[in-house]
Amino acid sequence: MKIVTLDLEGVLVPEIWIEFARHTGIKALERTTRDEPDYGKLMRYRIDILKENHLRLKDIQNVIGKMDVLEGAKDFLDALRSSFQVIILSDTFCEFASPLMRKLSWPTIFSNSLAIDDDGYISGIRMRIKDGKKESVKALKSIGFSVFASGDSYNDISMIDEADWGVLFRAPENIRKERSDIECVDTYSELLEKIRTAE
């Protein structure tokens, strides 16, 4: 049985940190996993910037509440879920994801959580497991699933490599060049076709 694992940001919803950077005018927060392969390093960088600018979790959640999913994402996900089991594997946090999951009709998502201090600042991250995307795919394969994986960033590469099939989706040029061995598609119709025909 085939199961599909998808990244969230950049695949189904806009990049949360880029949206927040635009809202606050803090350009440094536009840095994402498309630019920085080390997720722990990236999050420490973000947390420091938030603290320096007196920005709390509620400030990020207010922006997320106004975000919408990417154009065509809901229809794509509905079509995909009519034929396959789908799990979103994301390095985002449950404190960020809920409003967006509602707009996608509550798909299954494996994500992480944040540590919040008494003043409402993000003080750290609580990752479920190291390299959670790859390990989730490995676990699904160990219980008899064939896995198709897709994402757009550095932190999706190990998930795609571990899967039985996979493609990059709307990946930036630097990742396409570095991993030219992985096919990249740019539309939901192309992605749906790749998933349906993978065998």
Side-chain angles (χ1 to χ4, degrees):
M1 182 177 180
K2 190 189 298 180
I3 195 164
V4 178
T5 61
L6 298 173
D7 180 35
L8 178 64
E9 295 177 65
V11 176
L12 299 171
V13 306
E15 294 281 351
I16 290 170
W17 288 97
I18 290 177
E19 291 296 310
F20 189 63
R22 287 175 183 156
H23 181 82
T24 60
I26 302 171
K27 191 162 180 60
L29 287 174
E30 290 181 3
R31 190 166 179 79
T32 72
T33 51
R34 290 173 163 222
D35 311 298
E36 174 56 64
D38 185 332
Y39 192 68
K41 179 179 176 182
L42 178 62
M43 282 306 302
R44 288 189 296 275
Y45 168 82
R46 289 167 168 169
I47 290 168
D48 288 345
I49 292 171
L50 293 174
K51 199 72 182 262
E52 286 168 14
N53 289 276
H54 309 289
L55 294 165
R56 296 169 169 82
L57 172 61
K58 66 177 176 140
D59 298 308
I60 302 172
Q61 289 173 325
N62 287 339
V63 172
I64 294 169
K66 296 170 188 166
M67 288 172 58
D68 205 351
V69 301
L70 293 173
E71 185 178 349
K74 174 71 165 53
D75 290 341
F76 160 73
L77 194 57
D78 287 347
L80 186 59
R81 291 170 74 191
S82 71
S83 301
F84 303 98
Q85 295 298 310
V86 180
I87 300 174
I88 296 171
L89 301 180
S90 177
D91 282 337
T92 195
F93 308 97
C94 54
E95 294 87 352
F96 289 179
S98 287
L100 298 166
M101 293 303 95
R102 183 177 63 249
K103 293 176 181 180
L104 291 169
S105 298
W106 299 108
T108 299
I109 181 170
F110 294 175
S111 59
N112 302 295
S113 60
L114 294 166
I116 310 299
D117 69 19
D118 292 340
D119 296 317
Y121 289 104
I122 299 171
S123 58
I125 60 174
R126 296 187 178 113
M127 304 298 281
R128 283 184 306 106
I129 188 173
K130 185 179 179 182
D131 206 353
K133 295 183 181 190
K134 175 184 177 180
E135 293 303 320
S136 295
V137 169
K138 192 183 291 186
L140 289 166
K141 289 168 64 178
S142 77
I143 57 172
F145 287 103
S146 298
V147 181
F148 188 105
S150 188
D152 69 320
S153 296
Y154 280 114
N155 63 336
D156 299 310
I157 298 294
S158 63
M159 169 178 76
I160 294 170
D161 284 342
E162 181 64 35
D164 298 285
W165 313 276
V167 295
L168 290 164
F169 182 73
R170 296 179 181 168
E173 199 57 38
N174 58 313
I175 295 176
R176 292 181 197 233
K177 284 181 179 175
E178 288 177 38
R179 288 304 305 266
S180 59
D181 57 310
I182 304 175
E183 188 176 359
C184 186
V185 298
D186 293 295
T187 68
Y188 290 124
S189 59
E190 288 175 309
L191 181 54
L192 191 57
E193 182 64 16
K194 291 292 180 187
I195 293 167
R196 284 177 170 160
T197 58
E199 57 180 44

